[in-house]
């Protein structure tokens, strides 16, 4: 078997193991799904009337942003899960088996896709109940969902690296919070990037989180009438894919090396 | 006979700590090597190097004829490891754990499942097989871990302190299991802090202390190194200790050891039952009353004491060497066994 095929089949075994854990400790999944619901409701009703988006309802505008933020936060499962595994004896078992060296990481990041698919589903239903509508076709909307999942998948590899570098689950959670919160807020997730002041505006315009939100928004047909002025947001799909490629190219080898490293 | 494990001059440092200081090991096919040493002696470090989890700073290590540094992937296909802490997934059932390991050894779906069931049966875990491993007792977890090491029927098996922290009953069960494996012709490297365990399970014993081999031989050879038997006398009253010491001193070929707490005196002697009779006679003459008296061959504890100048227990309880494995109950049980 080629090493890629081996990484894939061994990764599937590991992913199954991670998903069994969800089955055994369903509270994890339940709480994970509660927060996106809360976000949809909170932003929808608290800010829903105060922010004006020309040509669209704010509640519709904001859904894509919440999706983006939530799936990015979902990737912290990889970091926390790996940090936890590293403190347990099971990782020595994996390392002493003739399995692919990247399988634990491949499996871990793949389980995030499952988590994130579930949270997108829940958020979509919640959004639908409070008035969000897909104004394009179902096929286009699916493209939007796929791009969100792809971006969050790449992000999982960043979190994998973080999880392997730190020594405890708490550190992963705190560190990722400090990093992901600004990243997902200084973006066009909840406001239009053009409305932000000076340097924040530039950051938001080139922030890949803005691009993936914009791309999803376009896919759902929730953009409103005003058009963005920067290349990154005029070509959000291309810009997102560039970032996905860069992140994977950097963090896949980096994480695998960190995992294989022998103290 | 081919050697399944071979190391030469293994050195591993952790900063200033020298965990292994030039270790040479040879384990012929189908034999059991007992790597015996107190906590912090370097046993786990040796096992981790041989199982490709750790790269040595110096020296060479071969397993099944393969260099562990050059061909770690090939080595992993030939070995089974049951590490010092049970490496099982808490959330998975016993069955799921074994099935997963089988898949990761690439046995295929059918074979992995069959093997998982077979091992659960063999290790007395059939009923527990469908419960998450976090509900298992320490002994069950250990057995599951050992079963996981056996999934692919490896040529070489590494067992790192398989019975540490187990209650006497689970330990006896574990010993039986390991003995069965050994009868089946497995090559095993077993580490232990328990003298009795090495005595019972190993063909060949290597005693290490501070990363270095300090003795090597069969358990009989090691005992013979110490010469003859010992007389043990348990006194009724501590007031008699000085008098009894001088009596024993007159008959002993070495120093008399005293344990104040148990009021036990131990003296190396030659001459067997004759000496014992003399000891009893002289004690009676002085009116010293005795609770218990006996003649015994040296235990490996004695071997250790003689070789290192300190008892294994002392080192194990040394604060800086205290590992998570040294559970309070463990060393007590050991003392009892050593005395037997
Ligand atoms: N990761 C590590 N970092 C620093 N020191 C270590 C590490 N692992 C082991 N040591 C030290 O190396 C020595 C040998 O440890 P170890 O091989 O675990 O001994 P044993 O298994 O015989 O109890 C001990 O002094 C221990 O403190
Ligand atoms: Mg150890």
């Amino acid at each position: 078997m080629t090493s890629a095929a081996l990484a894939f089949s061994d990764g599937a075994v590991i992913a199954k193991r991670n998903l069994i854990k969800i089955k055994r400790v369903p509270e994890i999944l339940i709480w994970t799904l509660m927060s996106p619901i809360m976000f949809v409701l909170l932003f929808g009703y608290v800010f829903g009337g105060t922010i004006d988006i020309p040509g669209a309802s704010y509640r519709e505008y904001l859904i894509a942003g919440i999706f983006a933020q939530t799936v990015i936060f979902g990737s912290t499962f990889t970091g926390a899960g790996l940090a936890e595994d590293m403190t347990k004896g099971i990782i020595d078992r994996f390392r002493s088996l003739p399995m692919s060296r990247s399988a634990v990481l491949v499996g871990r990041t793949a389980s995030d896709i499952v988590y994130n698919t579930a949270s997108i589903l829940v958020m979509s239903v919640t959004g639908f109940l409070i008035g969000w509508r897909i104004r394009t076709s179902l096929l286009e909307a699916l493209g939007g969902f796929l791009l969100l999942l792809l971006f969050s998948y790449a992000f999982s590899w960043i979190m994998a690296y973080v999880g392997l570098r730190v020594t405890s689950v708490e550190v992963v959670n705190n560190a990722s919070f400090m990093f992901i919160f600004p990243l997902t807020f200084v973006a066009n997730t909840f406001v239009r990037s053009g409305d932000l002041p000076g340097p924040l505006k530039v950051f938001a315009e080139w922030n890949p989180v803005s691009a993936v939100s914009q791309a999803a928004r376009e896919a759902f047909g929730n953009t409103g009438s005003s058009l963005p002025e920067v290349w990154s947001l005029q070509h959000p799909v291309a810009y997102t894919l560039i970032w996905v490629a860069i992140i994977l190219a950097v963090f896949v080898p980096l994480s695998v090396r960190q995992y294989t490293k022998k103290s | 006979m081919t050697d399944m494990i071979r190391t030469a001059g293994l050195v591993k440092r952790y900063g200033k700590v020298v965990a292994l200081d030039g270790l040479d090991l040879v384990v012929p096919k189908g034999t059991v090597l007992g790597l015996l040493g107190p906590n912090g002696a370097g046993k786990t470090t040796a096992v981790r190097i041989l199982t490709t989890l750790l790269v040595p700073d110096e020296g060479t290590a071969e397993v099944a004829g393969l260099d562990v540094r050059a061909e770690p992937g090939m080595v992993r296909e030939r070995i089974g490891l049951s590490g010092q802490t049970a490496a099982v997934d808490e959330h998975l059932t016993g069955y799921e754990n074994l099935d997963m390991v089988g898949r990761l050894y690439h046995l295929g779906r059918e074979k992995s499942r069959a093997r998982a069931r077979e091992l659960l049966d063999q290790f007395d875990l059939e009923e527990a097989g469908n419960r998450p491993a976090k509900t298992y007792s320490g002994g069950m977890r250990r057995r599951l871990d050992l079963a996981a090491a056996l999934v692919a029927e490896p040529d070489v098996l590494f067992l790192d302190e398989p019975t540490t922290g187990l209650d006497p009953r689970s330990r006896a069960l574990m010993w039986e299991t390991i003995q069965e494996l050994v009868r089946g012709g497995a090559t095993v490297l077993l580490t232990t802090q328990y003298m009795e365990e090495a005595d019972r399970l190993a063909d060949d014993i290597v005693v290490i202390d501070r990363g270095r081999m300090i003795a090597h031989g069969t358990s009989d050879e090691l005992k013979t190194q110490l010469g003859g038997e010992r007389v043990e006398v348990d006194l009724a009253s501590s007031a008699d200790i000085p008098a009894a010491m001088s009596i024993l001193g007159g008959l002993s070929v070495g120093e008399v050891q005293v344990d104040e707490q148990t009021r036990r005196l131990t003296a190396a002697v030659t001459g067997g039952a004759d000496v014992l009779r003399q000891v009893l006679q002289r004690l009676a003459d002085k009116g010293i009353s005795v609770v218990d008296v006996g003649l015994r061959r040296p235990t490996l504890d004695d071997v250790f004491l003689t070789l290192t100048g300190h008892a294994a227990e002392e080192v194990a309880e040394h604060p800086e060497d205290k590992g998570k494995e040294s559970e309070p109950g463990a060393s007590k049980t050991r003392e009892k066994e050593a005395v037997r």
Side-chain angles (χ1 to χ4, degrees):
Chain A
M1 230 190 297
T2 67
S3 68
L6 200 63
F8 192 76
S9 67
D10 289 349
V13 176
I14 299 292
K16 184 177 158 202
R17 165 216 172 212
N18 296 335
L19 296 175
I20 289 176
K21 183 180 170 180
I22 302 182
K23 207 168 78 183
R24 298 280 143 76
V25 198
E27 298 95 278
I28 300 176
L29 187 64
I30 291 169
W31 285 106
T32 317
L33 297 182
M34 294 293 269
S35 60
I37 294 177
M38 187 198 71
F39 264 114
V40 170
L41 296 178
L42 216 59
F43 278 92
Y45 286 103
V46 176
F47 298 134
T50 57
I51 296 171
D52 202 30
I53 304 291
S57 100
Y58 180 66
R59 240 176 238 171
E60 291 202 348
Y61 178 89
L62 119 117
I63 287 286
I66 293 177
F67 282 10
Q69 184 182 51
T70 305
V71 295
I72 289 170
F73 265 113
S75 70
T76 57
F77 268 105
T78 286
L82 277 175
E84 194 188 344
D85 279 351
M86 296 308 277
T87 64
K88 300 253 168 88
I90 189 82
I91 215 79
D92 276 348
R93 162 88 47 229
F94 290 147
R95 278 175 164 159
S96 72
L97 290 176
M99 59 192 278
S100 159
R101 297 285 91 188
S102 48
V104 168
L105 303 176
V106 169
R108 190 83 242 181
T109 47
S111 353
D112 277 1
I113 300 182
V114 177
Y115 264 114
N116 277 333
T117 307
S119 59
I120 285 184
L121 264 170
V122 167
M123 287 188 294
S124 299
V125 171
T126 315
F128 201 76
L129 291 177
I130 65 162
W132 170 62
R133 293 293 178 270
I134 291 169
R135 312 250 169 227
T136 50
S137 67
L138 200 60
L139 202 68
E140 277 173 274
L142 272 179
F145 289 137
L146 275 181
L147 197 72
L148 282 164
L149 288 175
L150 185 66
F151 185 75
S152 72
Y153 180 73
F155 218 85
S156 291
W157 281 92
I158 301 182
M159 296 315 297
Y161 185 66
V162 174
L164 291 170
R165 285 305 296 259
V166 302
T167 45
S168 85
V169 179
E170 288 74 30
V171 179
V172 177
N173 288 333
N174 293 332
S176 54
F177 197 76
M178 290 294 294
F179 170 58
I180 293 177
F181 233 67
L183 194 72
T184 54
F185 268 99
V186 187
N188 73 353
T189 38
F190 305 113
V191 294
R192 289 181 307 163
S193 52
D195 295 345
L196 290 167
L200 290 186
K201 172 171 179 256
V202 179
F203 182 86
E205 280 171 347
W206 293 95
N207 183 346
V209 179
S210 296
V212 74
S213 307
Q214 180 72 16
R217 204 166 274 144
E218 282 178 9
F220 305 148
N222 303 143
T223 42
S225 53
S226 67
L227 290 171
E229 291 143 24
V230 282
W231 185 87
S232 55
L233 297 181
Q234 282 162 354
H235 306 87
V237 176
Y239 189 66
T240 302
L241 291 177
I242 290 171
W243 268 98
V244 167
I246 293 174
I247 293 172
L248 290 177
V250 172
F251 283 93
V252 171
L254 216 54
S255 305
V256 172
R257 211 177 63 193
Q258 185 68 25
Y259 172 79
T260 323
K261 206 158 100 181
K262 290 158 189 166
S263 53
Chain B
M1 211 177 347
T2 46
D3 295 330
M4 290 307 266
I5 301 175
R6 231 174 212 296
T7 75
L10 276 192
V11 174
K12 178 70 194 178
R13 298 181 201 89
Y14 291 105
K16 273 192 198 143
V17 178
V18 184
L20 286 183
D21 193 6
L23 188 66
D24 304 323
L25 298 174
V26 176
V27 188
K29 191 173 176 158
T31 67
V32 181
L33 176 77
L35 194 59
L36 177 66
N39 223 336
K43 303 181 297 296
T44 298
T45 306
V47 168
R48 290 180 69 85
I49 288 173
L50 287 165
T51 53
T52 77
L53 299 176
L54 199 64
V55 177
D57 295 326
E58 288 168 36
T60 57
E62 271 177 27
V63 173
L66 301 158
D67 187 304
V68 294
R69 278 163 113 165
E71 298 173 289
M74 305 263 286
V75 170
R76 288 182 198 116
E77 297 192 11
R78 309 284 300 272
I79 61 169
L81 165 66
S82 176
Q84 191 166 332
T85 43
V88 297
D89 193 305
E90 304 269 290
H91 297 292
L92 266 54
T93 64
Y95 174 79
E96 285 163 345
N97 264 292
L98 296 178
D99 179 46
M100 173 179 75
V101 170
R103 299 301 299 272
L104 294 173
Y105 268 116
H106 309 122
L107 299 186
R109 181 194 303 253
E110 292 312 314
K111 181 98 195 291
S112 297
R113 290 180 177 172
R115 190 78 184 120
R117 275 190 291 269
E118 202 175 298
L119 284 163
L120 287 173
D121 185 30
Q122 183 184 339
F123 283 78
D124 227 3
L125 291 167
E126 268 169 307
E127 275 165 43
N130 292 321
R131 283 199 331 243
K134 70 171 169 209
T135 65
Y136 286 19
S137 71
M140 289 162 78
R141 217 173 281 211
R142 267 275 162 203
R143 269 181 284 146
L144 180 61
D145 193 59
L146 179 57
L150 296 172
V151 164
E153 300 174 84
D155 298 321
V156 189
L157 195 57
F158 294 88
L159 308 177
D160 195 1
E161 300 199 21
T163 65
T164 301
L166 295 191
D167 58 76
R169 209 187 67 88
S170 313
R171 178 176 306 167
L173 207 70
M174 197 67 166
W175 279 347
E176 266 171 46
T177 312
I178 295 171
Q179 273 168 329
E180 219 162 280
L181 287 174
V182 170
R183 275 195 292 274
T187 306
V188 181
L189 189 149
L190 165 113
T191 82
T192 180
Q193 300 187 42
Y194 305 132
M195 316 303 174
E196 193 192 355
E197 188 161 289
D199 202 354
R200 193 188 269 225
L201 300 175
D203 299 303
D204 210 11
I205 298 171
V206 167
V207 186
I208 64 169
D209 188 35
R210 304 193 172 99
R212 225 173 300 177
M213 180 198 292
I214 56 171
H216 175 208
T218 63
S219 98
D220 277 342
E221 281 165 2
L222 290 177
K223 287 172 187 171
T224 315
Q225 276 187 16
L226 270 111
E229 312 107 313
R230 277 137 213 292
V231 168
E232 262 177 15
V233 181
D234 290 2
L235 300 174
S237 149
S238 1
D240 293 330
I241 288 179
M245 261 186 85
S246 81
I247 292 171
L248 280 177
L251 296 166
S252 168
V253 293
E255 241 174 85
V256 180
Q257 286 157 21
V258 184
D259 185 336
E260 305 266 353
Q261 264 178 353
T262 56
R263 299 184 297 279
R264 166 169 298 172
L265 276 63
T266 310
V269 296
T270 51
D274 253 1
V275 185
L276 189 59
R277 209 171 301 126
Q278 284 187 45
V279 169
L280 282 172
Q281 183 65 51
R282 292 187 193 185
L283 288 171
D285 290 349
K286 292 261 171 174
I288 298 172
S289 55
V290 164
V291 179
D292 196 6
V293 67
L295 193 66
R296 64 166 172 82
R297 298 202 60 200
T299 64
L300 281 165
D301 274 314
D302 302 320
V303 176
F304 206 84
L305 187 63
T306 313
L307 291 169
T308 63
H310 55 80
E313 281 87 359
E314 279 170 31
V315 180
E317 276 155 24
H318 201 268
E320 66 177 26
D321 288 327
K322 212 180 246 170
K324 47 183 175 285
E325 73 275 17
S326 63
E327 279 156 49
S331 80
K332 275 215 196 78
T333 329
R334 182 150 24 111
E335 264 156 28
K336 251 183 263 150
E337 284 167 1
V339 167
R340 215 177 279 151

